[in-house]
Every structure is written in structure tokens, then in C-alpha cells.
Amino acid sequence: MLSATDIWRIAGQLRRVLPPVEYGPAILAFTVLRRFEQARPPARGGLAAIACAADPLGVLAGQLARLPAAMRDIMAQLEVERLARKLAAVDMLGPLAAHFAALDLSPALYGSEAMARLFEELVSHFTTTQGTGTHYTPPEVTDLMVDLVCAADRPGTPLALYDPAAGTGALLARAADRLHARGITADLYGQELNGQSCALARADLLLRGQKSRQMVQGDTLLADGHARQRLGRMLANPPFGRDWRAIRASIQAEHAQGARGRFGPGLPRVSDGSMLFMLHLLAKMRAPRHGGSRIGVVTHGAALNGGGVESGESAIRRYLVEHDLIDTVIALPQDMFINTGIGTYVWVLDNSKPAVRRGLVSLINAAGLWRRCDRSHGEKRREMTQAHVAAVVQTALDGAVLDLEVRTSPDGAPDSWRLTPHEGGMNPGRRTGFSRQVPARAFLYRSLSVTCADHAGAPARTAFTTSMETDPQDWFDRLIAPHDPTARLDAARTGIGCAISFARYFDTSIPCRALPEIEVDLRDAMARLVALMP
């Protein structure tokens, strides 16, 4: 099979006559043209006819004019005619058409998901301004989200699937293919900010026989392109660390609308808008009386516990807990994503949880389920197998409480693994916690502010964190007042925060040795030292 590098080879000729901002989009556009002509009967000879024509620009213009309207719109979005004129002016339109006419991008060789991945690799060749986490979602992470979010869906069930940060459509493409293997046909909807990526996603929808207008171009956070729709199944891998300073006024205005807007629960820091996408997805949930909704969304670790008690991140988490919307949170292995090595998590949100799961959250520590990639790609050095995915999905759906036992190879990679029922007092080392059922309200905490005089007599404020069961005044009277008569509990600054800590439930630290055992070792060591002295 071809790789993005095989396609990109023509860039060596193009860069002599065009700047990168021109030849990158040209390569993308002609990749789409080649895909179209191999998926459908070519118009008057296709790219091969352009390559050998005396007037390649005129032949291309005639072929574009005969395309269906939806295809013409995609070609216009990719600015094919403008790019072709530039190429023709430097006598490169014919050679470029010949290069692509020789490539096999047929659906028989490249399925929808494989083609979407190829598009994403091409985009990454010349896109250097995208934020961390943009574009590529590892296929196994998509599989994990699809299997969890769509677990209850049966063959023949009408299904609409939505992605608010769709990129080139690879996540939706793989999700649709995985559902199709189960006999489920998904109607795909999405929105994407980048025009070229959106055009590629639209091309995939068109080739699937769906309406290309179901993929909307535009900033999802600024304006919802599917504002009137509520959907039952949603997947997203929003960009990490996206700065929303440029649209802050609009976001704050919608936040001020409270429940009438999408961002009522809280606003994260302006340097990272990934949690705004989570709020957007919540706003698009169907009401439980209409079947409810399940969401799968990828986040980084800051979404779990970033920000203090008064932060917007904490307020969003508190909203999720108090409305019992969190079903499962899964810690993924490190080094899973091409363009980031930070820790990542999959959240499954559900507004119609079954009775046995209400008030509970499944925490799954899948960080130990991985194998080395055969070939590193960017930051991605690890991957999850289908056996790993199946184990996580089954554990999450069962609500099981399990431990993970891993045997490692000499190079430190997992060699074999198995899940076992949880036993208290685990021995550290190969055996670690894998899944726990946690009361959602256990993530809430109380922040207490105590004011007292410092060494110079000036007031100083200290914040303390306690459990929700703690009575603030009783805590102060027992633990603070007896030791500092100048201290005062500032009731006005008492707050309730929310943080999800995997370390709290999956502590992998080795317990300290008992003091008598350490004393015996020290005596033995001292005795050996004394014996060595002359």
C-alpha cells in the first residue's frame, strides 16, 4: 500500500516553483481528485487525460464542470482551480496530474478509514500551526470509544454519530466502519474549523453516499453548525491546549446565559478550551425521555484535576458529578498519540445510566495495557491491541472491580497480562489496580480558609482541604483553634471543589518497611562494619 510519503514525493518538484503554502494544498486537492475518479467513473479520462493534454488547464476545467454539485463544492473549498492556474503557469499541472494518475487510491485498496488516515498524514506534512492533539486519533482509541458509547446499539437500529472537532473525518470514518461490521449503519455529522480538513471529511461523506453538508465548516465553540439537533451518540478528540482568547467575548456572553447557553456550568482557563468541547457535547444530549445520550471524549490529565476550588475546570467537574453524568473514565497508556506524549484519558458520559450504576463512576487504569509499535510514528511508540480494548470495554460495561497482573519482558515492555478479582492488601510489583467503582460524590471536596497572624502580626491566609462529610466549624474547633488563638475560620471563603484522582484509587507506591525490620538490618550492617575495622 502507498504511504503519505509516496504521495508527497512530488513535493520535491513543486517546491522549486511554489511556496509550501501553495504546494501542500495542491497535493491534498489532487489526492482527493484521484480518489474521486477511482471511486466513481472518471469524467473524460480523468487525471491521465490532463497529464497528456496540450491544454491541461482547459481539460481540468471541463472535468470539474461535469462533476456533481456536491463534488464541485468540495473542489471549490480545496481551491483546485486557483491552484491549477498557478501550476499551469509554471508548467507543473501536467506533471502533477501524471504523478497522481499513476497512484492507486481505489476503495478496494484503501477503505474509508484508511483513506482518512492517509489524508491526515498528508495534512501533517505541511501543517505546522495546529495545536497539540489536533487531527490524529489512534485507531484503537476510536475502537474503544465506539464499543463503549454504542454498546447497547443493535443491528438495524438507526444511529446518528457526531464529532464536533472532526478534522479530516478519520475518527468518524473508523467508527462508521466498526459499526458497519456489527450490522449498524451510522449517519455521520460533524464540524471542523480548518477548511481543507473539512473538505476532506466532506469528500469521505460523499463517497459513503451521505450528504456532504452534514459536515459543517466553522468554529464549533463560536457557532454550533448543528444547533437544532440533539444526538444520542457523540465522539470527540478535541484539540488539547487550544487558546480561546480570540473568541472570549462570545464564550463569556454564552456563559452568562446560564442553562440557556452551552457554557453555563463554568469556563476553563483561556489557554486551554478542551473542556468547552465537553460542555458543548453535554448541551447536545437528548433528554432521557427521548432515549438519552452517551458521549466518548478524549482529554488530557488537567481535565480530571486541574485548577483549584474556584476554577472553571472544578466547576465543570462538579456539574458532571452533581448531575450524575460520568459513567466511566479510562487512563490510557503513555505515548499513544502521534503529536503528544502526555497522559490521556477517555471519558464516557451518560445522562440515562441504569439504576445499578447511578451515583457510581467506573475508573479504569489501562495504562499498563500496551505493546510497542512495530514502527514509531511521531510521539506514538505504544499501541493497544484488540484484546486490550475488549478487556477494558467488558470491564467498564460489567462494572467489575479487578486488578491487573503484568509480566514484563527484559526491555520493560509487557510480555503477558491477566485480569484478576481485586484482593485487598495487594503485593506491589507485577500486580496493580485495574478498575474501581467509586461513588461520584467522593470526587467532591471542601476547601476551608483559615486566617491567622504571621510572625510579623500581619494576617495570613491558609487553605485546607477536607472531605465533604467534615463539618467546617467542628474541624476548626478541634484541629486549629486549640493551637492558635489568633486563627479565624473564614466562612465566606468556604467552597466545594471537584477533582478526579487516579492516584488515590490506584496507588502503586511500595509500602514502607516496618521499623523493627529496618532496625535489624541497620544493626547487622553496623556489626559488619565493626568487624572490618582493625
Side-chain angles (χ1 to χ4, degrees), residues 53-67:
D55 179 17
L57 189 60
V59 173
L60 173 63
Q63 292 185 6
L64 292 176
R66 284 184 286 273
L67 289 174

Side-chain angles (χ1 to χ4, degrees), residues 373-385:
C373 296
D374 293 334
R375 179 173 60 90
S376 295
H377 189 180
E379 298 286 339
K380 185 174 178 63
R381 299 175 182 86
R382 298 177 178 181
E383 63 185 5
M384 295 177 74
T385 67

Side-chain angles (χ1 to χ4, degrees), residues 45 49 53 75 244 285 316 444:
M75 292 297 105
W244 52 279
M285 281 181 140
I316 294 169
L444 300 178

Side-chain angles (χ1 to χ4, degrees), residues 172-520:
L172 284 176
R174 186 171 181 94
D177 291 344
R178 193 165 180 89
L179 289 170
H180 181 73
R182 289 169 46 188
I184 300 171
T185 300
D187 213 15
L188 305 180
Y189 295 84
Q191 187 163 345
E192 169 56 31
L193 175 61
N194 181 276
Q196 292 162 336
S197 296
C198 183
L200 299 176
R202 283 176 170 171
D204 181 67
L205 283 183
L206 204 60
L207 293 170
R208 287 175 179 274
Q210 300 196 28
K211 298 174 182 176
S212 60
R213 65 173 178 269
Q214 290 173 188
M215 183 62 62
V216 176
Q217 183 184 350
D219 190 333
T220 302
L221 300 181
L222 197 58
D224 181 5
H226 300 280
R228 298 191 178 188
Q229 286 182 276
R230 298 294 177 267
L231 300 110
R233 303 290 181 261
M234 293 176 267
L235 305 173
N237 175 23
F240 302 160
R242 178 190 169 183
D243 191 304
W244 52 279
R245 204 178 314 269
I247 58 173
R248 176 162 48 183
S250 296
I251 299 294
Q252 289 176 333
E254 191 165 351
H255 169 65
Q257 297 176 21
R260 292 184 295 111
R262 294 174 292 171
F263 311 123
L267 296 180
R269 68 200 78 183
V270 294
S271 60
D272 184 6
S274 59
M275 291 191 80
L276 291 176
F277 282 93
M278 187 180 288
L279 291 178
H280 166 76
L281 291 167
L282 293 179
K284 297 192 75 62
M285 281 181 140
R286 295 186 312 199
R289 66 179 180 276
H290 295 140
S293 297
R294 277 174 73 83
I295 295 169
V297 58
V298 181
T299 75
H300 50 45
L304 274 74
N305 47 38
V309 65
E310 296 179 352
S311 69
E313 291 89 346
S314 177
I316 294 169
R317 290 189 293 267
R318 182 178 172 185
Y319 177 88
L320 293 171
V321 165
E322 292 180 341
H323 290 79
D324 197 17
L325 293 169
I326 308 175
D327 182 82
T328 305
V329 183
I330 302 160
L332 298 174
Q334 293 281 104
D335 302 329
M336 284 273 288
F337 287 71
I338 282 181
N339 41 6
T340 180
I342 65 176
T344 49
Y345 299 80
V346 169
W347 298 56
V348 179
L349 308 178
D350 192 332
N351 65 350
S352 56
K353 294 161 69 172
V356 295
R357 296 178 74 98
R358 287 174 192 159
L360 296 173
V361 175
S362 290
L363 294 185
I364 299 179
N365 182 18
L369 289 184
W370 57 274
R371 71 177 181 190
R372 295 195 191 279
C373 296
D374 293 334
R375 179 173 60 90
S376 295
H377 189 180
E379 298 286 339
K380 185 174 178 63
R381 299 175 182 86
R382 298 177 178 181
E383 63 185 5
M384 295 177 74
T385 67
Q386 288 302 309
H388 294 149
V389 170
V392 173
V393 170
Q394 196 61 54
T395 300
L397 296 178
D398 291 346
V401 178
L402 301 171
D403 296 330
L404 173 66
E405 192 170 301
V406 177
R407 294 182 181 274
T408 58
S409 59
D411 65 353
D415 190 33
S416 64
W417 59 276
R418 68 186 183 113
L419 298 179
T420 61
H422 171 58
E423 298 175 4
M426 290 186 305
N427 292 324
R430 293 200 310 258
R431 192 179 175 94
T432 60
F434 181 70
S435 61
R436 300 290 183 263
Q437 292 289 304
V438 181
R441 293 192 64 81
F443 301 135
L444 300 178
Y445 64 89
R446 202 183 297 277
S447 177
L448 305 178
S449 180
V450 174
T451 303
C452 58
D454 64 12
H455 64 279
R461 182 177 291 109
T462 305
F464 296 87
T465 298
T466 69
S467 68
M468 291 296 293
E469 291 72 30
T470 302
D471 177 82
Q473 192 61 53
D474 176 67
W475 171 86
F476 177 80
D477 292 340
R478 286 187 301 105
L479 300 178
I480 304 297
H483 306 286
D484 188 349
T486 70
R488 296 290 181 270
L489 178 65
D490 189 348
R493 287 183 172 269
T494 297
I496 297 176
C498 184
I500 301 174
S501 171
F502 267 68
R504 178 180 174 185
Y505 299 99
F506 301 100
D507 184 10
T508 58
S509 60
I510 298 175
C512 295
R513 298 167 62 200
L515 185 58
E517 182 183 343
I518 296 173
E519 289 177 341
V520 170

